[in-house]
Amino acid sequence: MFTSTAAFSSVPTAIGSNSVDPFSTANLTQWTIGLFFVLLLILIVAWAAKRFTGLASSHKGHLKVLSGVSLGHREKAVLIQAGNQHLLLGVAPGRVVTLHTFEAGEISQSLSQEEAVPTAFQDSLKKVMNKKGAE
């Protein structure tokens, strides 16, 4: 009763009806820049986490994978160096088994170098296993 008729005569406007078209070039550009900014931010945080928290794999420990050979579709034999010992491990999905423990000096140090040829592992393994069988 106390309101004027001018308030009733105006057409009600919906919220956002005077806004810009959501698929306009300006809005799409703003969304794209925002998306790239968020992706860049994620990459920077991942890089910083890897760089400063030590999530990267490092070879500073006393364990080294010297060589490996595939035995089947999902099985491998892996030769690792743990301190002065060499261990031959059988690796399968969900399972790791020690197949043989070599004493210090039983495996040549030329195999311990990273540039060893993959076939050298197979040859060395055959020689060592033949020695064990002959004794």
Side-chain angles (χ1 to χ4, degrees), residues 113-124:
Q113 297 173 357
E114 300 226 358
E115 55 268 1
V117 180
T119 58
F121 171 72
Q122 295 171 351
D123 296 336
S124 296

Side-chain angles (χ1 to χ4, degrees), residues 50-131:
K50 183 177 179 183
R51 172 106 172 127
F52 297 116
T53 61
L55 293 177
S57 62
S58 62
H59 299 287
K60 295 179 184 177
H62 295 285
L63 291 176
K64 279 195 234 176
V65 176
L66 299 178
S67 188
V69 63
S70 179
L71 301 175
H73 184 64
R74 300 175 71 181
E75 295 83 16
K76 289 173 102 176
V78 179
L79 181 66
I80 66 165
Q81 180 179 2
N84 292 331
Q85 285 189 330
H86 292 82
L87 301 170
L88 181 63
L89 303 176
V91 181
R95 188 172 155 186
V96 177
V97 177
T98 303
L99 299 176
H100 189 71
T101 302
F102 298 98
E103 297 301 322
E106 201 171 347
I107 298 218
S108 67
Q109 292 300 336
S110 64
L111 183 60
S112 299
Q113 297 173 357
E114 300 226 358
E115 55 268 1
V117 180
T119 58
F121 171 72
Q122 295 171 351
D123 296 336
S124 296
L125 180 62
K126 286 179 186 176
K127 288 178 187 176
V128 170
M129 296 308 281
N130 287 338
K131 277 189 204 176

Side-chain angles (χ1 to χ4, degrees), residues 4-15 17-18:
S4 67
T5 59
F8 289 116
S9 65
S10 66
V11 178
T13 57
I15 295 176
S17 64
N18 292 333

Side-chain angles (χ1 to χ4, degrees), residues 19-35:
S19 65
V20 181
D21 179 30
F23 296 109
S24 68
T25 306
N27 273 345
L28 291 177
T29 304
Q30 186 178 5
W31 292 347
T32 305
I33 290 172
L35 176 66

